[in-house]
């Protein structure tokens, strides 16, 4: 991700998937970026997102090597996060997603954490308990406990 990216001032959607990118960088000039697609790269962490933290609404970062979610908290407007097939293993890292005030659509399939708890049958319940604002998880609408109870009346 070289410095020429910063010249794309009016760019709203940037797709750099399948490029062997190892680090997120040079996003400073992208003042209108709403959607960033970095799937199928070799990204190991989320450093470098600070430059678009106040504006980015969707981050597509599936099929990378992300294990830690340090730095995700800067994404104040992020509504959609597609990060399937990474290597997030524990709830402590997953819990950092609760720091995203606008997150409503998350795809997390194919991470060791999801695979383990799906096999145990409690993935949806555990994930939505930790992220109560989610409206959609792994492509499935999230039904809140209150909504289920109202339906039973």
């Amino acid at each position: 991700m070289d410095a020429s990216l910063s010249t794309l001032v009016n760019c709203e959607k940037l797709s750099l998937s399948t490029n062997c990118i190892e680090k997120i960088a040079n996003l400073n000039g992208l003042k209108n970026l709403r959607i960033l697609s970095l799937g199928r790269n070799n990204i190991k962490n989320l450093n470098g997102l600070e430059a678009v933290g106040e504006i980015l609404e969707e981050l597509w970062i599936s099929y990378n090597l992300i294990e830690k979610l340090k730095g995700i908290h800067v994404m104040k407007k992020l509504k959609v996060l597609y990060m399937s097939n990474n290597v997030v293993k524990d709830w402590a890292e997953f819990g950092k997603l609760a720091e995203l005030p606008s997150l409503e659509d998350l795809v997390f399939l194919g991470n060791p954490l999801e695979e383990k708890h799906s096999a145990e049958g409690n993935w949806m319940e555990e994930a939505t308990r930790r992220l109560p604002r989610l409206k959609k998880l792994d492509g499935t609408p999230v039904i809140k406990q209150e909504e289920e109870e109202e339906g039973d009346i």
Side-chain angles (χ1 to χ4, degrees), residues 10-145:
N10 295 318
C11 180
E12 291 184 19
K13 179 179 179 185
L14 180 61
S15 180
L16 295 171
S17 298
T18 320
N19 273 297
C20 299
I21 295 169
E22 293 184 13
K23 287 189 169 126
I24 301 169
N26 296 310
L27 298 175
N28 304 41
L30 298 163
K31 302 294 181 214
N32 294 296
L33 192 65
R34 292 185 318 91
I35 301 172
L36 177 60
S37 177
L38 292 168
R40 298 186 187 279
N41 280 295
N42 298 315
I43 297 169
K44 294 183 176 79
N45 62 55
L46 299 173
N47 297 338
L49 288 173
E50 305 81 14
V52 292
E54 297 292 327
I55 54 170
L56 200 68
E57 294 175 18
E58 298 188 19
L59 178 60
W60 306 346
I61 198 155
S62 296
Y63 294 94
N64 275 286
L65 305 168
I66 298 166
E67 182 178 353
K68 306 277 187 214
L69 297 175
K70 182 175 181 267
I72 193 83
H73 67 281
V74 301
M75 310 304 294
K76 301 297 179 213
K77 289 192 174 170
L78 198 69
K79 291 181 185 161
V80 176
L81 177 60
Y82 294 162
M83 63 168 301
S84 66
N85 300 286
N86 276 283
V87 288
V88 179
K89 297 181 180 96
D90 57 56
W91 286 119
E93 290 304 316
F94 184 87
K96 292 177 182 171
L97 298 176
E99 298 174 34
L100 303 175
S102 303
L103 186 66
E104 50 188 45
D105 184 356
L106 173 67
V107 175
F108 211 77
L109 294 166
N111 279 277
L113 179 68
E114 177 273 331
E115 290 173 338
K116 175 184 186 284
H117 288 278
S118 285
E120 293 172 6
N122 64 353
W123 166 246
M124 195 68 120
E125 179 185 328
E126 289 296 322
T128 54
R129 185 172 61 79
R130 286 170 168 83
L131 302 177
R133 289 187 293 266
L134 278 187
K135 293 186 176 152
K136 208 179 203 186
L137 177 61
D138 299 332
T140 304
V142 172
I143 296 166
K144 304 276 187 259
Q145 197 63 42

